[in-house]
Amino acid sequence: MKETWVRARTPDQKERRIRQILSAAVRLLKSQSIDDITMGMIAEEAAFTRSNLYRYFTTREEVFLSILKEDLVAWVRALPEDLGSAALPAEGFSKIWIDSFLANSRMNDLLSVLSTKLEAGSSVEALMEFKIRISGLYREEAEAICKVIPGLSRPSAYRMLMLRSALVVGAYPAINPTGKQRDALSQAGIPIAAEQYRQMMIDSISAFIGALVADDPKTE
C-alpha cells in the first residue's frame, strides 16, 4: 500500500524520504541484479508512487550511485582501523587493503559497472555531486595510506588508488562470478580462479608500491 503522501518540505523530511528510497533499493539488491531492478520496483518497495519517486531521483542509476557513494564513505572511514597505526611492508599492506575492499561485495558490484552503467545513466548534476564527494574520499584514503607506508608521497598514493580501481573493475567479476557464469565454468570443466585474481591484485599493488617509493620519495 502506498503511503498517504505529504510533500516533504524541510531538509530532514527530504532526507527521510531519500533514506526510504535507498533502503528500498538496497533490499532489492539482495535478491535482484542491478539490470533487473526498475524505478517501478524501487517505488513499490519504498511504498512510493513512481511520480513521487521521481521527485528525488530521475533514474535508477542515480539511486545506485547514491548507494555506492554511501558504501565508499563507510569503507574509507573504516580503513584507518583496518590498517592500524604501525608502518606496514608493501605485501602486508596490499593484502589488508585488497581484502578489506573485496569484503564489500555490494560496493564492488556497483563499482564494476560505475563507468559503463551508473555514470552513463545519471544526470550531469547527480554525477558532478558524486565526483566531488568521491574526490574528497580519495584524499582521506590517500592520507590513511601514507601513514602506514613510509616514503610514499600523496601523489603516489593517488596513483595507487587509480591502479586499485582499474584492478577491481577488471578482476572483481572474475572473483565473484554470477550463477550463470559458475554453471558455465563448471560444465566446461574450468575452475573458478577467484583466489588467483585476488593474489594478482595483491601482487600488483605490492610491486607498484615498491616502484613508487623508489622513484618518488616522500615529500610534503
Side-chain angles (χ1 to χ4, degrees):
M1 178 182 295
K2 300 292 188 297
E3 65 179 21
T4 300
W5 191 260
V6 178
R7 184 186 294 274
R9 299 186 183 280
T10 69
D12 285 347
Q13 289 172 335
K14 292 177 181 178
E15 180 60 26
R16 283 198 295 272
R17 293 280 167 78
I18 291 172
R19 295 252 56 83
Q20 285 179 262
I21 295 166
L22 297 184
S23 295
V26 164
R27 291 194 297 272
L28 289 170
L29 282 169
K30 293 178 180 179
S31 60
Q32 305 280 344
S33 72
I34 294 170
D35 288 336
D36 292 336
I37 297 173
T38 66
M39 287 290 273
M41 292 168 65
I42 296 171
E44 182 175 2
E45 182 68 25
F48 281 30
T49 64
R50 287 188 64 174
S51 61
N52 286 324
L53 176 61
Y54 281 111
R55 294 177 184 273
Y56 300 93
F57 296 95
T58 59
T59 66
R60 63 175 188 161
E61 288 81 8
E62 291 181 11
V63 177
F64 298 140
L65 203 64
S66 290
I67 294 170
L68 174 57
K69 178 180 66 179
E70 294 195 349
D71 284 351
L72 285 167
V73 168
W75 180 75
V76 170
R77 296 290 162 78
L79 185 60
E81 182 176 351
D82 291 340
L83 294 176
S85 57
L88 292 170
E91 185 176 358
F93 165 82
S94 301
K95 183 179 184 301
I96 294 171
W97 196 38
I98 292 301
D99 283 348
S100 173
F101 205 81
L102 293 178
N104 293 271
S105 58
R106 185 179 68 210
M107 182 175 76
N108 284 286
D109 286 339
L110 294 172
L111 277 173
S112 67
V113 295
L114 175 60
S115 297
T116 56
K117 294 180 181 179
L118 304 190
E119 293 188 350
S122 297
S123 66
V124 172
E125 292 76 15
L127 190 54
M128 179 182 67
E129 192 276 335
F130 175 79
K131 295 289 188 183
I132 291 171
R133 188 69 184 90
I134 296 308
S135 178
L137 287 176
Y138 277 1
R139 287 194 295 272
E140 291 183 39
E141 188 177 357
E143 290 174 3
I145 290 169
C146 289
K147 288 179 180 179
V148 296
I149 303 181
L152 190 72
S153 68
R154 283 182 177 78
S156 290
Y158 277 109
R159 292 177 66 188
M160 284 175 54
L161 298 183
M162 293 173 64
L163 176 61
R164 191 274 317 281
S165 297
L167 289 171
V168 167
V169 171
Y172 184 73
I175 292 174
N176 190 42
T178 64
K180 181 186 295 186
Q181 290 170 328
R182 287 178 180 274
D183 289 343
L185 289 168
S186 176
Q187 293 177 33
I190 300 173
I192 296 173
E195 177 56 31
Q196 289 93 322
Y197 277 102
R198 169 186 168 273
Q199 191 61 50
M200 175 201 71
M201 296 174 74
I202 292 170
D203 292 345
S204 298
I205 294 294
S206 182
F208 197 48
I209 291 172
L212 289 172
V213 172
D215 293 343
D216 186 14
K218 187 174 181 180
T219 58
E220 293 297 333

